[in-house]
């Protein structure tokens, strides 16, 4: 459920020591690895053993090296967050378009004034089924982005024939969008939907398809592997050579400093990896389940409002 507590500002100290949503546990083995290397070098220095690779530490003082590493880290973080934000905008537009299209279908498609007419109940049932297809569209989009099969949440909104038709489909939102458009065309042919409302409804439906395509673009276009490999190699080299520079000057104090530096570099890179695909189940991913539940409630509210506006039977 989308609630106001998502916008509440947590306590500052609580955020500092919070593990849920943090990448600390993910990068902890790497921090321990380089801290262990630093401890080994500090022990060798204490035992008056020579550090044969001491000159490697001079690499960290290179302006070109540090500038390249900093630029790549900034690029990685900005690109990943841009993908996250584009995904959120796409889903925000999807919610808006579904709400608008649900309103247009509920109010724009005329029903027989005589509620006792034989086709009135069937027309109302068809309209409600079409409205629930909008909820199914959102849920199918979520499952499509996660490469998951049909769920009970989706099948509850469809007929058995529709569920069977979606089983082999590779793009379920596309099929559901086709069904919605077919329903609109049927109502237009029956004279229950005006030309202008058909055009506006079709535009909203096209916007839904555009939103799905935008999310697919994020998934199918990962950050080029060359950037990831190059950045990780630079971080690895930096953390590998830094102990040789700081151990001779700081001794055992180099261990916490090395842990802190590796936490900074690997943490920023890991945050970028977390945000790269925002459609999963991780804490830092988009709340797609909550968004779909919101859409379902909005559609059901629209159906209930439409029922309250139905004409009463003649006395």
């Amino acid at each position: 459920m989308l609630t106001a507590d998502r916008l509440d500002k947590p306590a500052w100290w609580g955020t500092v020591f919070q593990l849920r949503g943090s990448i600390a546990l993910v990068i902890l083995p790497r921090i321990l690895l380089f801290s262990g290397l630093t401890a080994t070098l500090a022990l060798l220095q204490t035992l008056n053993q020579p550090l044969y690779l001491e000159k490697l530490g001079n690499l960290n003082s290179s302006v070109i090296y540090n500038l390249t590493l900093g630029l790549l880290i900034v690029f990685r973080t900005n690109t990943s967050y841009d993908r996250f934000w584009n995904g959120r905008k796409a889903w925000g537009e999807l919610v808006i378009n579904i709400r608008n299209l649900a309103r247009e279908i509920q109010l724009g498609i005329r029903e027989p004034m005589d509620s006792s007419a034989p086709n009135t109940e069937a027309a109302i049932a068809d309209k409600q089924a079409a409205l629930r297809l909008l909820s199914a569209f959102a849920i199918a989009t979520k499952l499509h982005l996660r490469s998951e099969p049909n769920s009970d949440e989706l099948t509850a909104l469809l007929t058995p024939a529709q569920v069977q038709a979606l089983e082999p489909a590779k793009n379920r939102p596309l099929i559901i969008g086709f069904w919605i458009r077919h329903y609109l065309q049927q109502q237009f042919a029956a004279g229950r939907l005006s030309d202008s409302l058909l055009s506006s409804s079709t535009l909203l439906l096209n916007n839904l398809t555009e939103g799905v395509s935008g999310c697919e673009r994020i998934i199918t276009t990962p950050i080029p592997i060359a950037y990831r490999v190059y950045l990780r190699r630079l971080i690895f080299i930096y953390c590998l050579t830094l102990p040789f520079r700081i151990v001779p000057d700081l001794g055992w104090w180099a261990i916490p400093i090395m842990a802190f530096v590796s936490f900074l570099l690997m943490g920023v890179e890991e945050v970028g990896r977390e945000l790269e695909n925002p459609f999963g189940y991780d804490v830092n991913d988009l709340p797609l389940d909550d968004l779909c539940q919101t859409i379902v409630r909005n559609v059901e509210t629209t159906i209930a409002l439409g029922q309250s506006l139905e004409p009463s039977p003649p006395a």
Side-chain angles (χ1 to χ4, degrees):
M1 179 182 296
L2 291 177
T3 56
D5 58 1
R6 289 190 175 274
L7 300 178
D8 288 346
K9 296 180 180 179
W12 193 88
W13 286 109
T15 304
V16 170
F17 297 103
Q18 177 178 320
L19 290 179
R20 185 174 183 270
S22 170
I23 43 80
L25 296 179
V26 177
I27 63 176
L28 181 60
R30 306 170 214 170
I31 295 175
L32 294 177
L33 173 64
F34 291 109
S35 298
L37 172 62
T38 306
T40 302
L41 295 178
L43 177 62
L44 291 176
Q45 178 175 263
T46 302
L47 298 175
N48 294 321
Q49 298 295 323
L51 302 180
Y52 295 103
L53 301 177
E54 185 175 352
K55 294 299 181 181
L56 284 177
N58 295 332
L59 176 63
N60 294 279
S61 61
S62 171
V63 176
I64 296 178
Y65 186 94
N66 286 277
L67 180 61
T68 303
L69 179 59
L71 289 176
L72 280 177
I73 289 178
V74 170
F75 169 82
R76 181 76 163 97
T77 306
N78 289 346
T79 303
S80 297
Y81 185 76
D82 186 58
R83 294 163 62 87
F84 176 88
W85 184 241
N86 284 334
R88 183 60 186 92
K89 287 196 298 183
W91 270 87
E93 293 172 359
L94 189 144
V95 171
I96 294 172
N97 286 304
I98 285 180
R99 287 171 175 171
N100 290 335
L101 185 53
R103 184 188 65 244
E104 294 298 319
I105 291 176
Q106 183 63 272
L107 298 178
I109 296 179
R110 297 183 291 272
E111 298 169 1
M113 295 300 296
D114 184 3
S115 61
S116 63
N119 295 329
T120 300
E121 291 186 2
I124 294 175
D126 288 344
K127 179 188 287 189
Q128 293 178 355
L131 288 169
R132 291 191 171 99
L133 283 179
L134 295 174
S135 300
F137 184 94
I139 297 171
T141 300
K142 175 186 68 174
L143 298 175
H144 175 62
L145 297 175
R146 292 175 173 175
S147 299
E148 294 179 344
N150 292 344
S151 64
D152 294 338
E153 184 184 19
L154 176 62
T155 56
L157 300 169
L158 305 173
T159 65
Q162 290 172 333
V163 173
Q164 185 176 3
L166 287 183
E167 287 294 340
K170 294 183 178 180
N171 194 320
R172 285 161 289 183
L174 182 64
I175 303 299
I176 296 176
F178 177 83
W179 291 338
I180 297 172
R181 182 63 179 83
H182 178 66
Y183 170 78
L184 294 174
Q185 188 63 38
Q186 284 183 322
Q187 301 308 305
F188 175 73
R192 297 173 182 164
L193 182 64
S194 66
D195 189 13
S196 60
L197 285 178
L198 176 63
S199 299
S200 62
S201 298
T202 301
L203 178 60
L204 292 172
L205 188 58
N206 291 341
N207 291 339
L208 292 180
T209 304
E210 183 179 350
V212 176
S213 300
C215 294
E216 289 175 335
R217 183 172 59 249
I218 294 174
I219 289 182
T220 58
T221 312
I223 295 177
I225 186 66
Y227 282 106
R228 285 182 288 167
V229 171
Y230 193 52
L231 175 59
R232 290 179 179 180
R233 286 176 178 173
L234 288 181
I235 293 176
F236 175 78
I237 294 173
Y238 190 92
C239 293
L240 182 67
T241 58
L242 183 60
F244 293 94
R245 178 176 179 81
I246 61 178
V247 166
D249 297 330
L250 302 175
W252 293 103
W253 282 104
I255 298 175
I257 293 177
M258 186 64 222
F260 180 71
V261 171
S262 58
F263 172 78
L264 289 179
L265 294 177
M266 297 180 191
V268 172
E269 194 275 334
E270 185 64 27
V271 167
R273 190 198 64 81
E274 282 273 320
L275 298 181
E276 188 174 7
N277 180 4
F279 304 121
Y281 289 98
D282 294 336
V283 177
N284 293 308
D285 289 333
L286 295 173
L288 299 189
D289 294 324
D290 292 348
L291 290 172
C292 287
Q293 291 176 12
T294 299
I295 290 173
V296 171
R297 289 196 305 270
N298 293 159
V299 171
E300 292 301 321
T301 299
T302 302
I303 292 175
L305 290 173
Q307 290 176 337
S308 66
L309 295 176
E310 291 176 8
S312 303

